[in-house]
Amino acid sequence: DSGVTQTPKHLITATGQRVTLRCSPRSGDLSVYWYQQSLDQGLQFLIQYYNGEERAKGNILERFSAQQFPDLHSELNLSSLELGDSALYFCASSVGLQRESKGGGGYTFGSGTRLTVV
Amino acid sequence: GNSVTQMEGPVTLSEEAFLTINCTYTATGYPSLFWYVQYPGEGLQLLLKATKADDKGSNKGFEATYRKETTSFHLEKGSVQVSDSAVYFCALSGSDTGGFKTIFGAGTRLFVKA
């Protein structure tokens, strides 16, 4: 157990629907990162939050949004789902801002949510 | 911007063979470098890291040396086991256009046969 908890582990939904993925970071970690992993595109960075505030955005679609709550858990919302959104979605956490630690601590990843859009 | 390039897989080896997975990077300044491993059905796990030139990261028999002169961070293991079968990701953390970022390579799948 890495300490990062993601729920649900599996999700099957229809095109056009909306889903919410949840992540609880490792105890003490303030930063949360969301990644999408698909077979043909590898690991794609979506978005980062630090202590409740958005800090960086990657290749996140406008149909996707996220937030980090006061208790530091984060949710990734995916709407108007398309077949191509089927992928593994990972959450990772780190102690603080990577810049301050020169990235030295690395990330702790959750085990992911496998989303299948049918 | 910063980038990470790692050798394409899959890499297939017999048990006890020597492993090298190549990783090269492009970055400004002095990034930190990482190797992560992803076992089937699991998330990525930090395997080893190096934060400055000539540092050697090591863990579980795996090693990688931060070579600034060749901008490389190749992963090596002297004798692989079937349990090492996984996908290995090279990653870089450093300043880049738009801020400080961590970026991952495309991953290299390793199969080890008994």
Side-chain angles (χ1 to χ4, degrees):
Chain A
D1 181 7
S2 69
V4 177
T5 303
Q6 288 189 248
T7 56
K9 292 195 181 302
H10 302 277
L11 198 49
I12 301 175
T13 190
T15 54
Q17 295 299 304
R18 172 189 168 95
V19 297
T20 297
L21 313 183
R22 182 188 169 102
C23 169
S24 293
R26 192 180 59 162
S27 178
D29 286 357
L30 300 178
S31 279
V32 169
Y33 311 80
W34 285 99
Y35 285 85
Q36 179 191 58
Q37 185 181 38
S38 55
L39 281 175
D40 59 345
Q41 291 198 338
L43 203 63
Q44 298 290 320
F45 169 65
L46 296 178
I47 198 163
Q48 177 202 354
Y49 281 82
Y50 172 75
N51 204 21
E53 293 188 5
E54 181 185 305
R55 293 305 299 250
K57 257 186 174 180
N59 301 322
I60 188 166
L61 300 172
E62 285 192 10
R63 300 183 285 109
F64 297 179
S65 65
Q67 53 184 329
Q68 186 180 27
F69 295 85
D71 67 352
L72 301 179
H73 91 271
S74 178
E75 293 181 355
L76 180 66
N77 301 296
L78 315 176
S79 62
S80 303
L81 285 167
E82 302 175 358
L83 296 178
D85 297 327
S86 295
L88 269 169
Y89 290 84
F90 286 106
C91 168
S93 70
S94 66
V95 172
L97 290 170
Q98 292 286 288
R99 176 186 296 278
E100 277 65 44
S101 66
K102 295 187 67 176
Y107 293 173
T108 302
F109 279 80
S111 57
T113 294
R114 181 174 293 280
L115 173 67
T116 303
V117 182
V118 297
Chain B
N2 294 349
S3 66
V4 174
T5 303
Q6 55 183 112
M7 63 188 288
E8 286 191 27
V11 174
T12 303
L13 296 173
S14 296
E15 211 165 20
E16 299 183 4
F18 185 87
L19 168 71
T20 300
I21 300 179
N22 290 339
C23 173
T24 57
Y25 68 90
T26 301
T28 55
Y30 302 91
S32 295
L33 301 173
F34 306 84
W35 278 99
Y36 286 82
V37 58
Q38 183 179 27
Y39 298 104
E42 298 182 13
L44 280 71
Q45 301 174 25
L46 180 61
L47 180 60
L48 53 84
K49 65 183 181 185
T51 57
K52 61 183 188 295
D54 300 324
D55 265 2
K56 177 186 283 188
S58 61
N59 186 25
K60 300 181 181 180
F62 291 89
E63 293 183 339
T65 301
Y66 188 146
R67 301 279 188 206
K68 191 160 178 65
E69 64 275 15
T70 55
T71 61
S72 65
F73 193 55
H74 304 322
L75 182 68
E76 297 181 336
K77 186 175 185 183
S79 175
V80 294
Q81 305 300 311
V82 172
S83 58
D84 293 326
S85 298
V87 181
Y88 292 82
F89 292 88
C90 185
L92 172 159
S93 285
S95 294
D96 196 358
T97 306
F100 196 93
K101 297 177 183 176
T102 294
I103 57 173
F104 290 82
T108 302
R109 185 175 296 276
L110 171 66
F111 291 107
V112 181
K113 303 179 297 184

